[in-house]
Amino acid sequence: MTAWMDASDAAALAWFLVVWLGYTLFADHGPARRRSIGYAMNARRRAWMTEACRREVRIVDTQILGNLLTGIGFFASTTIFVIGGLIAMLGVAEEGARALARLPVQVDTDPAAWEGKVILLLVIFIYAFFKFAWAFRLANYCSITVGSLPAEAGSDPAAEARISEAAAALSRISGHHFNRGLRAYFFALAALGWMLGPEAFAAMTAGVLAVLYRREFHSEALAAVRNL
């Protein structure tokens, strides 16, 4: 415990960490991962790379790869700006605490509490940046691997199969890390609720868990992909 963190704050923080870690283990490493939209999209990645082998003109593939790189790069650069903003917020703890005091709810206005909660957000977004940066790099590797496909489709089936499998694997791993970064954004929204108190923090954590579970395991998008 710290001077500003009481038992309810500690319990809310523990709930947040358990939910995030537990959901990650459930969605990414447990048997349930085979029912997720990410797992279904991995089959689409493999099918895409198989089709890329059959095309001698791969303009469509390069456009898709470019779009993926643009999306990942956007989140990576945005996260850098968020990190910079959070670092700046550490220097205005007293002003932030006074701003919270003007809210129509009872909140902790201790500057030390403000700093501790901002540091939690900072850690989350640093983690997200590492995930997006690695996803971006892997997407680049995937682009290079696709570029190494034989120019004439069907000229070397064995080499094409090896390259397409490697490209699909790189795309899959890139997507995995990108999804981890997006998940960090969702949980950062829950952590933002800590500014309003431990009850809001715990409730928003549960809300984020429900949204993530529905989107990854029971969404219309998943049903559409499964129908393929």
Side-chain angles (χ1 to χ4, degrees):
M1 298 289 181
T2 63
W4 59 269
M5 183 186 293
D6 58 19
S8 59
D9 284 301
L13 179 59
W15 164 247
F16 172 80
L17 296 175
V18 167
V19 167
W20 190 353
L21 178 60
Y23 182 77
T24 298
L25 293 174
F26 169 80
D28 295 346
H29 300 287
R33 73 184 188 279
R34 297 180 180 274
R35 298 186 285 107
S36 70
I37 190 169
Y39 190 87
M41 287 306 301
N42 288 338
R44 295 298 92 207
R45 289 186 171 92
R46 192 174 299 108
W48 168 29
M49 292 306 166
T50 301
E51 287 299 316
C53 292
R54 301 171 183 170
R55 288 191 281 264
E56 294 186 2
V57 179
R58 301 189 177 97
I59 296 176
V60 172
D61 305 299
T62 56
Q63 288 178 335
I64 295 172
L65 289 165
N67 289 336
L68 291 174
L69 283 166
T70 299
I72 299 171
F74 169 78
F75 276 97
S77 58
T78 299
T79 305
I80 284 292
F81 290 123
V82 173
I83 290 171
L86 289 171
I87 291 173
M89 287 173 65
L90 289 174
V92 292
E94 293 184 1
E95 291 82 352
R98 285 197 294 270
L100 287 177
R102 290 194 290 268
L103 294 175
V105 292
Q106 185 69 30
V107 296
D108 189 350
T109 57
D110 185 351
W114 170 275
E115 292 176 348
K117 294 167 185 178
V118 170
I119 287 174
L120 174 63
L121 288 168
L122 188 58
V123 170
I124 293 172
F125 280 105
I126 289 173
Y127 167 83
F129 173 76
F130 275 98
K131 288 299 181 181
F132 289 135
W134 185 231
F136 187 84
R137 191 171 183 179
L138 290 171
N140 271 293
Y141 293 162
C142 179
S143 300
I144 295 169
T145 305
V146 172
S148 69
L149 284 168
E152 185 178 345
S155 60
D156 190 344
E160 290 174 355
R162 289 194 303 271
I163 294 171
S164 66
E165 281 296 321
L170 288 169
S171 179
R172 172 180 57 79
I173 300 170
S174 175
H176 170 76
H177 287 280
F178 182 70
N179 187 49
R180 288 284 186 91
L182 287 179
R183 192 178 293 161
Y185 264 65
F186 277 94
F187 278 103
L189 293 176
L192 191 61
W194 201 7
M195 295 292 184
L196 302 177
E199 296 82 4
F201 187 19
M204 291 181 69
T205 299
V208 165
L209 174 64
V211 169
L212 287 175
Y213 178 76
R214 181 184 179 281
R215 290 186 175 180
E216 293 195 47
F217 292 93
H218 294 284
S219 64
E220 293 181 3
L222 174 59
V225 176
R226 279 179 175 170
N227 287 336
L228 297 176

